[in-house]
Every structure is written in structure tokens, then in C-alpha cells.
Amino acid sequence: MLPIIKNIYFIHIMKEEVRLMKGNEAVAHAAILYGCDGYFGYPITPQSEVLETLEALMPWETTGMVVLQAESEVAAINMVYGGAASGKAVMTSSSSPGISLKQEGISYIAGSELPALILNVMRGGPGLGTIQPSQADYFQATKGGGHGDYRLIVLSPSSVQEMVDFVGLGFDLSFKYRTPAMILADGIVGQMMEKVVLPPQRPRRTDEEIRRQCPWATTGRNGERKRNVVTSLELESSRMEIINHRLQARYREIERNETRWEEIGVEDADYLIVAFGSIARICAKAMEMAEEKGIKAGIIRPITLWPFPKEAVEKAARGKKGILCVELNAGQMIEDVRLAVHDSLPVEHYGRLGGIIPSPQEIVDALEEKLINNIP
Amino acid sequence: MEIEDIIKEENKVYSKPRLLDDVHMHYCPGCSHGVVHKLLAEVIDEMGLAERTVGVSPVGCAVFAYNYIDVDWVEAAHGRAPAVATALSRLWPSNVVFTYQGDGDMAAIGTAESIHAANRGENIVMIFVNNAIYGMTGGQMAPTTLIGQKTATTPYGRRVDLNGHPLEITDILARLDGTCYVTRQSVHTPASVRKTKGCIKKAFENALAKKGTSVVEIVSTCNSGWKMSPVESNEWMERNMFEKYPLGDLKNI
């Protein structure tokens, strides 16, 4: 287990009730406790517990949160678009094939400059693929996914606690920058049960508070204000270019302010492992095993996959003998790592595909073979 | 009697709806959309709903409806207006939400969203302008295009063996338990305009009363797409469209 996670738990245990639950269940609890206004989803393995838990908790009876099982992922993301347009804190969740279906709607939400939260509990692809864990949607999440020049704020949880924490963080960031945020979880984090501390219940914003906070929202004109129109359409090219520049300026601001990562034993290491999500925790065990063999490796775990912590990776890579990117895919994040370090040192990839999760020993072996013994 | 004696407030018989903006519409002369917009603006204003109505515009000719009627609007992706309206209505139950959709939006790409929103009985109004053609993209076949009708993608006329049958989406919606009011009207004569206005009003009253989904289909002309004069279009519609899409209430609970 990562030392930093031990610390988080320790602090929480001191003052809060600790509960045991699945990552997907924890997201449902966290959404209610955050004061989320609406959830719109469609069942797909391995994330259906989010919708199931919400339906069982019946938050419409307590906080007034709307929960709706839509007729499709397409309908669900467009419900999110409508809810977000009216200033409400709304979210959806799905898994890889369903997230592909949502891409049109996500592009509209980004183009219309709306806040929304999307959870992807990744499974293996391509196509219908497998229901086992994967990280193969990294490109889709971080490089666009839908059409047009846009970015998502992409948060990568490595524990059930982070599944909870990133619901609040994701909503906060998406409202701060009026852009959609995605929690890019893998099937491991979604399905595994872990100790977790839930935050206190925040009240949902009143309609008046929403009108004040979101003067752009389609809440009904309600008084003398001019009408609000939420659209991503602008046929006049010169104005469409201005909109695009505004979006890009906001993305640069997010890059400056919101890049997050975690480092473990990086300073005195000879080798650097870069891994995100639950795999970073397997890498932490591998790091301990490597140390017993006299191999000093450190880990850098990107928490925001976009914005990618390129400066942190570049800094951490200085003086190292090589970098191993460990991912549950055929090599996606490694491209961002290579861009960050400009080929200044060897960067290798180790990944398992099709829903197979590597053991710590496999990662130690990969480190030795690819970086120390240079076996291609 | 002098003209000044006639032009007086008490003699006024007609005025532009207050909620209809004083701008040039992009619709072709002769198009039914302008009349439907006018009716919506009148009904929303007369019912005192301007400040709590939210419209959802489609992809299609009415994509810019938000430029003409002075209420809040969300511009939806093609076919997704009923899903967008579902959330707007559920999250702001005191508002009245309507969708404004064409035949492609309602009966082709958005068939699932239309049927499921209506089947859930969302308290929304669905305005469905059926002109049996894709106007915005240049006159291609619509799901409601008649057999034999020539379009850009059925240049020799729609054939059942190649293109299937015209989809009677409104009849399907009327069969769903979630709809409370489903009607098919037109706006090609003064009498039909007045009648349609009453239907739109009834639909908005149903939404206020949370009775379920109301659907007002307006069988319309597209003289540009049909390549006829506006007068010829009205005549063609009466002769051909009304046979396949007969006017009247399909459901009124």
C-alpha cells in the first residue's frame, strides 16, 4: 500500500467513521453527499453499482437529487447536457463502450462550456471487449474523444477513497472552469472493496443560489434578465475562432493551476516507474520487491491525466537511468511521458491487455529486462 | 373618415407577439416554421409563462429557433431534444419545457429519445414539424417522406423496396401510456392556424398540470425542398400529406 494512502487513512480514522464498500458504491454515496442535483445513467458492467446504489439510497426522498435510468448512454449524456445547461450539478457514469457512445454529448458539453462530471470505469476493448479491468481509454479521455478541439479534466483514482474524493474535486473543477471533468477509473477501483471515509452531507444549492452562481444557465428568465441560450453552434467563422481561443486559454489556465500527481521514493531512485490508477499501487509493491534486489526505483503517479504532469515527470526523470511506464494497455500514457522527457533517457512500456492485471513480480521482471538488462 | 381616426389602439385587430424578436428569420418565404414560432410566442406570452419556459431547439431548420422567441433555450444535438428536455423538466419542475423538432430529429435519429421521453410521461411539450423532407441539409429523404415523393436522396421517388415506409411516429407516440395529448394539425389556412394555437395552448396547460407528455404534430410545407411555390405546396400538402397524416386529435385524456 502506498505510504501516502496510509497517511490519508490515518487522518480520517482519527476523526471519521470508516466504512467498507466498492468503488462504484462509494461514488454513489459521494454524489449524494456532495449535493449532486442529478444522475443519469445506463447499466453496463463493471459500473452498474453506481446506478443500483443510487436507486437503493433513494436520494430524491432526502436531498431531492434526481436519479434516472435512461434508455441509452446517448440519452443519459444528453440529459446531463440539459441539466448542466440549467446550472445543476449533474453526472453520469458508464464503462468503455458506453463512454464511446457518450462522446458526441461530451463534445457538446465542452463546446457549450458547461460543468458536468462523467465517470468511466474502464473495461477492456476494443469493441465489446471484456468486462475485466483495463486502462485502454487513456487516449480517448485525454486527447479529446469526441469531435473538435476540446479537453476534459481527467482524474485518475487509485483507491476507493479517491473515487469518493474525486467526485467532489471533479464537480468543483468543472464548475470553476465551466468544462466537463471525467473520473477515469479502471474496473479494479470500481469493483474492489476498501476502507473509505465519506464526507459530510453538503446541502444542494437552492434555485436562487444556482441563479446567482450560474447567470448563464437556462433556469427560466425569471425576472428582467435577457434570455439565456446554451449552444455550441456558431456559423460565423470569425466568432467560432474566438470561442475556440477562449476554450484554449481556459485549458492553458487549467494546465497551470490544476496539475496533480503523487511521488513515491523518486529522489534517491535510479529508475522511475510512471503508472496511473490502481496499477500504481501494484507498482508500489513492485518497488519494495525491487529494493530487496538492490534496484532503486521510484514512482510518479499522475493524478490528473489531463492536464498531464509533464513538468513533474521531466523533473523526476533527471539523473535517472530509465523510465518504465506500466499501464493496462498497449502503450498510451507512455506517449505523454516521452513528450515530457524529450528522449533524454530510455522510456519503456510494460502493459497487460485483455483484462489481465500484472503481478508485482512481473513488473520487477519488466524493469530488469527492459531497462537494466536491455532485453528487447 | 380619416386614416388617423382608424389607426387607434381600440381598432387594433392584430399585433406581433411580444416574445417574437424583431429580427429577420432565416426561414424560406412560405415555410411553416415562422407561423409555428408565432403561435408558440403568443401562447407562452398569453399564459404568462415567458419567465419560466425553456425551449429545446433541434438540429434541422429550426436549429436557430433560439434567435426568435424570447425565452431561455438549449440547443440540442440531433435527435436528443427529448433527453435534454427530460433533465430540464425534472431538475426545474416549476418550469415548462418544450422541444421543437423536425421529422428527422423526431422520427429518425431521435426515435429512441422521443419514444422513451413520451413513454416515461415526461411533463413536456413536443412540437413536431413534419414537412416530409430534410430542409436544412438540402432536401433529402425524411422518415416521413411519402411513397413516390422526390427528394435529393430519392431522386426518382421514394420506393418501399429501397427506402421502406413513411414512419407514423405520432401514431406510435399516441399509443404510449405516458402521453396525455397527441394531436396532428396544420398551419396552412387562417382556420388551421387558429386551431393549432388552441392545441399548443392545451399542450402547455397539460405540462403545467403535470399530466404527462403532449405532442403537437404540425403537418407542414417545405416549398424550397419540395421545389414548388408556397401556394402549390399548400395544395400538394392537402392532396398528398393529409391522406397519410390525417389531421385531428389522436389522443386527448
Side-chain angles (χ1 to χ4, degrees), chain A residues 109-178:
Chain A
I109 293 168
S112 304
E113 301 175 61
L114 298 176
L117 183 63
I118 303 129
L119 166 68
N120 180 2
V121 182
M122 286 181 283
R123 57 189 257 182
L128 203 47
T130 168
I131 59 171
Q132 299 302 324
S134 169
Q135 294 180 321
D137 302 346
Y138 179 93
F139 281 154
Q140 186 195 53
T142 61
K143 309 298 178 194
H147 59 283
D149 267 328
Y150 75 92
R151 297 287 189 170
L152 298 176
I153 297 170
V154 183
L155 302 169
S156 166
S158 70
S159 64
V160 174
Q161 186 63 54
E162 281 190 337
M163 286 285 263
V164 167
D165 297 344
F166 290 176
V167 169
L169 179 63
F171 269 126
D172 288 346
L173 292 177
S174 75
F175 269 88
K176 182 177 177 186
Y177 296 101
R178 273 180 67 184

Side-chain angles (χ1 to χ4, degrees), chain A residues 14-303:
Chain A
M14 293 291 281
K15 56 179 186 181
E16 307 270 7
E17 185 194 356
V18 180
R19 299 179 62 174
L20 181 69
M21 61 175 74
K22 278 188 178 191
N24 291 336
E25 294 168 343
V27 166
H29 285 273
I32 298 168
L33 294 168
Y34 179 79
C36 175
D37 296 305
Y39 170 94
F40 306 90
Y42 187 81
I44 181 172
T45 307
Q47 64 78 52
S48 298
E49 294 88 353
V50 180
L51 176 57
E52 288 172 3
T53 306
L54 282 168
E55 296 284 5
L57 291 171
M58 298 198 295
W60 54 90
E61 300 279 349
T62 52
T63 68
M65 176 183 175
V66 169
V67 181
L68 182 58
Q69 179 172 338
E71 63 270 30
S72 67
E73 286 93 347
V74 175
I77 192 67
N78 282 282
M79 289 170 186
V80 167
Y81 171 62
S86 70
K88 297 278 181 172
V90 286
M91 66 178 291
T92 186
S93 67
S94 190
S95 180
S96 308
I99 294 292
S100 293
L101 282 169
K102 289 182 193 291
Q103 292 302 330
E104 179 203 38
I106 294 172
S107 173
Y108 274 65
I109 293 168
S112 304
E113 301 175 61
L114 298 176
L117 183 63
I118 303 129
L119 166 68
N120 180 2
V121 182
M122 286 181 283
R123 57 189 257 182
L128 203 47
T130 168
I131 59 171
Q132 299 302 324
S134 169
Q135 294 180 321
D137 302 346
Y138 179 93
F139 281 154
Q140 186 195 53
T142 61
K143 309 298 178 194
H147 59 283
D149 267 328
Y150 75 92
R151 297 287 189 170
L152 298 176
I153 297 170
V154 183
L155 302 169
S156 166
S158 70
S159 64
V160 174
Q161 186 63 54
E162 281 190 337
M163 286 285 263
V164 167
D165 297 344
F166 290 176
V167 169
L169 179 63
F171 269 126
D172 288 346
L173 292 177
S174 75
F175 269 88
K176 182 177 177 186
Y177 296 101
R178 273 180 67 184
T179 196
M182 175 178 276
I183 300 174
L184 188 69
D186 50 61
I188 305 169
V189 182
Q191 286 297 326
M192 73 179 174
M193 294 187 83
E194 229 181 353
K195 288 182 287 186
V196 65
V197 176
L198 298 173
Q201 178 71 55
R202 272 176 34 151
R204 285 174 56 238
R205 295 162 302 155
T206 64
D207 289 354
E208 274 319 301
E209 285 170 336
I210 290 171
R211 286 196 171 95
R212 273 201 305 277
Q213 184 190 356
C214 308
W216 42 265
T218 58
T219 57
R221 272 170 37 208
N222 193 43
E224 288 306 301
R225 81 155 160 79
K226 285 169 65 180
R227 70 169 170 270
N228 283 335
V229 175
V230 170
T231 181
S232 53
L233 176 66
E234 177 50 71
L235 293 184
E236 172 56 46
S237 297
S238 60
R239 287 202 290 267
M240 194 66 222
E241 189 176 45
I242 290 169
I243 292 168
N244 268 281
H245 281 312
R246 183 169 73 226
L247 287 174
Q248 293 303 320
R250 194 173 307 156
Y251 299 147
R252 299 295 85 78
E253 193 187 347
I254 295 169
E255 285 178 328
R256 280 195 301 278
N257 299 340
E258 308 299 347
T259 308
R260 288 164 164 79
W261 69 94
E262 180 192 2
E263 294 179 10
I264 306 158
V266 165
E267 293 227 332
D268 52 354
D270 294 321
Y271 298 93
L272 189 63
I273 296 172
V274 187
F276 66 97
S278 58
I279 306 312
R281 294 171 64 176
I282 301 174
C283 290
K285 180 69 185 169
M287 186 181 115
E288 288 173 17
M289 291 165 65
E291 196 167 5
E292 287 166 17
K293 299 179 85 170
I295 303 165
K296 285 162 81 176
I299 296 172
I300 189 157
R301 174 173 76 95
I303 292 172

Side-chain angles (χ1 to χ4, degrees), chain B residues 168-199:
Chain B
E168 293 161 342
I169 186 77
T170 309
D171 298 74
I172 297 171
L173 295 173
R175 289 192 61 176
L176 305 175
D177 289 338
T179 50
C180 59
Y181 178 51
V182 181
T183 189
R184 187 184 288 124
Q185 302 296 334
S186 72
V187 289
H188 70 304
T189 62
S192 62
V193 170
R194 276 198 294 276
K195 186 147 189 249
T196 300
K197 183 177 173 182
C199 298

Side-chain angles (χ1 to χ4, degrees), chain B residues 72-112:
Chain B
D72 278 1
W73 284 91
V74 182
E75 205 295 298
H78 198 14
R80 317 301 175 216
V84 173
T86 293
L88 286 167
S89 171
R90 289 207 180 203
L91 290 162
W92 294 86
S94 59
N95 284 348
V96 178
V97 181
F98 72 91
T99 68
Y100 191 110
Q101 302 176 261
D103 35 52
D105 208 79
M106 180 74 102
I109 194 167
T111 310

Side-chain angles (χ1 to χ4, degrees), chain B:
Chain B
M1 188 183 277
E2 296 297 317
I3 187 87
E4 284 75 23
D5 299 323
I6 298 169
I7 304 174
K8 283 181 177 166
E9 188 66 27
E10 62 263 31
N11 290 335
K12 193 159 127 183
V13 293
Y14 183 81
S15 53
K16 188 179 75 63
R18 287 193 303 173
L19 294 181
L20 208 56
D21 287 320
D22 216 1
V23 293
H24 289 288
M25 286 186 168
H26 72 288
Y27 299 115
C28 308
C31 171
S32 308
H33 276 301
V35 183
V36 180
H37 282 25
K38 183 198 78 158
L39 295 181
L40 270 168
E42 284 180 354
V43 167
I44 295 166
D45 191 26
E46 287 166 18
M47 292 179 71
L49 296 174
E51 295 186 358
R52 56 186 184 120
T53 296
V54 181
V56 185
S57 62
V59 168
C61 282
V63 65
F64 288 121
Y66 55 72
N67 284 334
Y68 307 131
I69 303 175
D70 192 18
V71 296
D72 278 1
W73 284 91
V74 182
E75 205 295 298
H78 198 14
R80 317 301 175 216
V84 173
T86 293
L88 286 167
S89 171
R90 289 207 180 203
L91 290 162
W92 294 86
S94 59
N95 284 348
V96 178
V97 181
F98 72 91
T99 68
Y100 191 110
Q101 302 176 261
D103 35 52
D105 208 79
M106 180 74 102
I109 194 167
T111 310
E113 285 79 5
S114 300
I115 286 179
H116 283 278
N119 194 50
R120 286 190 300 265
E122 301 294 343
N123 294 307
I124 59 173
V125 176
M126 297 165 88
I127 304 290
F128 169 33
V129 175
N130 176 12
N131 57 17
I133 205 159
Y134 282 43
M136 186 62 120
T137 44
Q140 296 84 6
M141 183 186 70
T144 52
T145 293
L146 301 177
I147 300 302
Q149 188 181 343
K150 288 182 180 172
T151 71
T153 49
T154 55
Y156 309 108
R158 180 174 186 161
R159 277 169 51 176
V160 169
D161 61 335
L162 291 179
N163 314 110
H165 300 272
L167 186 64
E168 293 161 342
I169 186 77
T170 309
D171 298 74
I172 297 171
L173 295 173
R175 289 192 61 176
L176 305 175
D177 289 338
T179 50
C180 59
Y181 178 51
V182 181
T183 189
R184 187 184 288 124
Q185 302 296 334
S186 72
V187 289
H188 70 304
T189 62
S192 62
V193 170
R194 276 198 294 276
K195 186 147 189 249
T196 300
K197 183 177 173 182
C199 298
I200 292 173
K201 187 170 182 221
K202 184 174 178 53
F204 273 76
E205 285 167 352
N206 289 340
L208 278 174
K210 310 285 181 207
K211 283 178 70 176
T213 307
S214 296
V215 183
V216 181
E217 173 180 347
I218 296 142
V219 183
S220 301
T221 60
C222 176
N223 47 287
S224 296
W226 295 359
K227 307 201 186 312
M228 299 174 197
S229 73
V231 173
E232 287 168 352
S233 295
N234 277 349
E235 289 164 1
W236 192 88
M237 177 172 71
E238 284 186 347
R239 274 201 315 275
N240 300 282
M241 295 275 283
F242 291 172
E243 189 185 336
K244 180 69 181 166
Y245 306 110
L247 306 188
D249 288 354
L250 287 81
K251 185 182 201 176
N252 187 357
I253 298 172

